[in-house]
Amino acid sequence: MDPESRLKYYKSTLCLAYQSLGVVYGDLSTSPIFVYKSTFSGRLRLHEQDDEVLGVLSMVLWTLALIPLCKYIIFVLGADDSGEGGTFALYSLLCRHTKVGLLSVSHASYDEILAYNSPLSSKETKTSSLLKEFFDKHRSSRILLLLVVLMGTSMVISDGVLTPSMSVLSAVSGIKIKATGLHDNCTVLVACMVLVGLFTLQHYGTHRVGFLFAPILVAWLFCISGVGMYNIIHWNPRIVSALSPHYIYNFFKKAGKDGWSSLGGIVLCITGYFVLPATQCVHQLLVSLDWLTSYLFSGAEAMFADLGHFSQLPIQIAFTVVVYPCLILAYMGEAAYLSKNKEDLQRSFYKAIPEVVFWPFLIIATLATAVGSQAIISATFSIISQCKALRCFPRVHIIHTSNQIHGQIYIPEVNWILMALCLSVTIGFRDTDNIGNAYGLAVITVMLITTCLMFLIIVMIWKRHVLLAAAFVIFFGSLELLYFSACLAKVHKGGWLSLIFSVLMLSVMCIWHYGTLKKYSFEVENKLCLDTLLSMATNLGINRVPGVGLIYSDVVSGVPPMFGHFITNFPAFHQILIFVTLQTLPMPKVPASERFQVSRIGPPDYCIFRCIVRYGYKDARKDSYAFESHLLETVAEFVLRDMDGCGNFGGEMAVTHQTSSPLVFEDPMPFENEAMSSQRKGLRSRGVRCWQELEELLAAREAGVAYMMGNTCVIASEASSHVKKFLINVVYAFLRKNSRRPALALGVPHTSLIEVGMVYHV
């Protein structure tokens, strides 16, 4: 790398690190506002001795060290699916390399793509083979695995509702420290105004929001670290002794069951560590024996970070240089104040602020909590995009807000629904303690699911010894189960809210996935074979009209029933007919060389093709005109390459698209035998026919391109159970009616669209 390129790289990295402060770390950085308040709520407020304060601080410090630093930076961060992270991406990684999931694709060529650019070892261990056999034999185990993953994803989305409400309401409540007579309705009103402003800014995209929010969060981090250092020096310099885990033992010895129940508040200190989807991690660093050392000394951040909106190195710099040191000082400073002012347990954060800087600090805190909500909002957009791509979420409009980083997206429907739910929670609860209980339960549930999935990743993907995987689960799982049990005990005190949100989201995803599978099964079972299509063309006297017809369907072989229904009623179709199947594979990106797979249906005279277009859930879709041009160019290249396949009339012959030069046909060599001369003449005649077909394709393109899609109504059959009828006829029908139509989702021009009405009885 030359000096100029190196300088440009450094500037870009530092710029992204600066932006990441305003997007990724806001949730984590604002946790000190409510951690001690939530921890010392309930019966723990009766324990006001130094041992209890030091014990809580020690647990916060060790929780930050063990779970984020040890668990996520060493293990979980490396379990990326070609750069994509989060619970859904972990499942995608398992589907991609082991086929233990249900989100597989029913096409043989999928197997060839699974291992693209994969540095993972293909050597199987005995344990990994046994696990694969178990999942292969027991379909119920694969269903359970998918439900667990969807449950974790639902918890993350529910966290997207709770985080803004919790953070903003906690900050605004600080006004009552000085204005004691202020009514609760006023603080709720201010919190709602801040939330409306936050969600209104989302359509500007992560790039602009990051630049807008980063100065706020930088000022916030420097403020809490500065106040923390002041409190340590002014109130209790000996607070640093809380680094000793001995204080944790003393805490539980004195607090007993009350100490256990307080763990639901302590877990809030790591709320920003794991709920975000990671992208852009370097996979090959994890396959060698020195992968532990590489990550320990790389300065990597200790979480599944929101790298889909940035990249790995900027996130690492922002965390290690700015965020983590500031948080440690903030927690220590507040504990130092509490050790000398135990009467302020329920309002220690704002009470610990010196009088002279209180009001500026309060303004920055309010703005910072709005920034803190940005991380989970961006994460919710990314997770829903993954779920939608893999047919586990209704169709929504995804807007890519950056031409350089495809992970920066905005989903209008999700944004406004989140805003409505956040306002409802804020107005309905008004109490940060109850919201905090729901918040902590959502957080720790995702952690547990990640730990369970990591067992499968370590054994089946990394091919490590089962004892290493078991040690990982036992060590981190036991710690998380301790927090989980404390959160479960507070379900009746607000924890039920996250459960309701999660169950609702889980139901939506499962019903949509179930209905989509039933619809696909109907199309596969009722598709037309090639002979039926050819006989219909002969018997009905079908006419060919100028132009190109793109027939969209989900089937990868045969003719979709929708097209058979169309030509039965309108015996005509276009001069060039292309059946298009869009597939989203359970992988982040599909190589460009594997994107299009073209095959021919029937004799060359019919000019009927099939094109399977494969995307990863992170691939950006082109607009309709660019897609149309690329598709027709690929078909043209296929025709040039289809020298031997032109005679394959009885079925479909697949050729994966690869860029190639036009074929050149030369005169026969002067000295060749009769067999060679005959073969050369056959090659020339086929070449002439292919060039004629290319001319027809060009003429059809100039005549116009039409898009045909099915406008289907899915109805449960009469023999179905009442539960199935309710799920399909009521819930799934409601979701389909209120989701974005396929033509709009694909950006198909309305003037070129042909919709065919069909009723599917599933």
Side-chain angles (χ1 to χ4, degrees), residues 77-78 80 82-84 278-283 295 301 307 312:
L77 188 62
D80 67 306
S82 297
E84 198 70 19
T279 60
Q280 315 278 332
C281 298
V282 184
H283 217 267
Y295 269 92
E301 29 75 27
L307 294 178
Q312 183 183 8

Side-chain angles (χ1 to χ4, degrees), residues 23 25-28 30 163 167 217 367-376:
V23 176
Y25 294 110
D27 184 20
L28 175 67
T30 55
T163 298
S167 300
L217 199 77
L367 295 175
T369 51
V371 175
S373 305
Q374 181 61 43
I376 189 61

Side-chain angles (χ1 to χ4, degrees), residues 410-701:
Y410 167 68
I411 306 177
E413 299 98 319
V414 175
N415 182 66
W416 302 122
I417 291 175
L418 280 179
M419 186 189 76
L421 292 175
C422 286
L423 293 176
S424 301
V425 170
T426 304
I427 296 173
F429 273 77
R430 299 169 176 255
D431 183 10
T432 57
D433 288 340
N434 288 333
I435 301 177
N437 293 334
Y439 191 28
L441 182 60
V443 163
I444 199 63
T445 302
V446 181
M447 293 178 66
L448 274 172
I449 291 174
T450 300
T451 300
C452 296
L453 291 177
M454 281 301 300
F455 177 84
L456 299 177
I457 296 292
I458 294 173
V459 174
M460 303 176 70
I461 307 300
W462 294 349
K463 306 297 192 302
R464 306 293 178 180
H465 199 280
V466 66
L467 292 180
L468 176 63
F472 176 88
V473 173
I474 293 173
F475 181 79
F476 294 109
S478 59
L479 180 61
E480 291 160 0
L481 278 174
L482 184 63
Y483 283 118
F484 183 71
S485 62
C487 291
L488 279 181
K490 295 185 177 182
V491 168
H492 63 287
K493 297 181 180 179
W496 56 268
L497 184 63
S498 62
L499 292 178
I500 289 179
F501 281 143
S502 301
V503 169
L504 287 176
M505 289 304 306
L506 179 63
S507 301
V508 168
M509 290 190 288
C510 289
I511 293 173
W512 182 264
H513 185 62
Y514 175 76
T516 304
L517 286 181
K518 289 297 181 182
K519 175 178 174 292
Y520 175 75
S521 299
F522 180 90
E523 291 185 339
V524 171
E525 294 171 0
N526 294 274
K527 66 183 179 181
L528 305 178
C529 63
L530 179 63
D531 294 337
T532 304
L533 176 65
L534 297 179
S535 63
M536 290 177 67
T538 304
N539 298 332
L540 296 176
I542 293 178
N543 298 316
R544 305 297 290 269
V545 297
V548 178
L550 302 182
I551 316 300
Y552 282 79
S553 71
D554 291 330
V555 298
V556 296
S557 63
V559 179
M562 170 264 299
F563 184 70
H565 178 66
F566 174 79
I567 61 176
T568 301
N569 293 275
F570 301 94
F573 55 80
H574 293 84
Q575 179 184 357
I576 303 294
L577 201 64
I578 305 175
F579 291 95
V580 181
T581 301
L582 301 180
Q583 291 183 337
T584 300
L585 307 184
M587 58 190 356
K589 284 183 174 293
V590 172
S593 60
E594 303 287 346
R595 177 65 50 80
F596 290 87
Q597 187 181 50
V598 181
S599 59
R600 188 187 297 278
I601 299 179
D605 295 340
Y606 275 76
C607 294
I608 301 178
F609 302 91
R610 180 185 308 284
C611 184
I612 299 175
V613 188
R614 296 171 292 199
Y615 292 98
Y617 55 75
K618 192 184 167 189
D619 284 323
R621 308 289 177 93
K622 296 182 178 180
D623 60 74
S624 60
Y625 182 79
F627 173 80
E628 171 188 306
S629 300
H630 198 178
L631 175 62
L632 294 179
E633 290 173 3
T634 304
V635 173
E637 291 189 14
F638 166 78
V639 172
L640 286 176
R641 295 174 58 87
D642 188 20
M643 301 299 295
D644 298 325
C646 287
N648 185 15
F649 303 158
E652 301 182 18
M653 194 246 350
V655 175
T656 301
H657 162 60
Q658 294 179 353
T659 303
S660 59
S661 303
L663 298 178
V664 178
F665 302 99
E666 301 177 350
D667 291 333
M669 296 177 61
F671 304 101
E672 59 182 2
N673 56 34
E674 185 176 351
M676 294 177 61
S677 177
S678 176
Q679 183 179 9
R680 178 72 67 172
K681 291 179 181 178
L683 179 62
R684 177 181 295 176
S685 65
R686 288 194 297 271
V688 171
R689 188 171 69 243
C690 288
W691 283 110
Q692 292 176 346
E693 194 171 5
L694 284 177
E695 292 178 357
E696 292 179 3
L697 180 62
L698 179 60
R701 170 69 189 276

Side-chain angles (χ1 to χ4, degrees), residues 201-241:
L201 291 173
Q202 294 303 313
H203 73 279
Y204 289 107
T206 306
H207 177 77
R208 295 183 180 88
V209 171
F211 267 113
L212 176 64
F213 284 176
I216 299 173
L217 199 77
V218 170
W220 164 256
L221 288 170
F222 287 151
C223 284
I224 61 175
S225 60
V227 170
M229 286 190 293
Y230 168 80
N231 286 329
I232 292 172
I233 297 171
H234 183 265
W235 293 107
N236 190 358
R238 293 182 62 253
I239 201 70
V240 295
S241 63

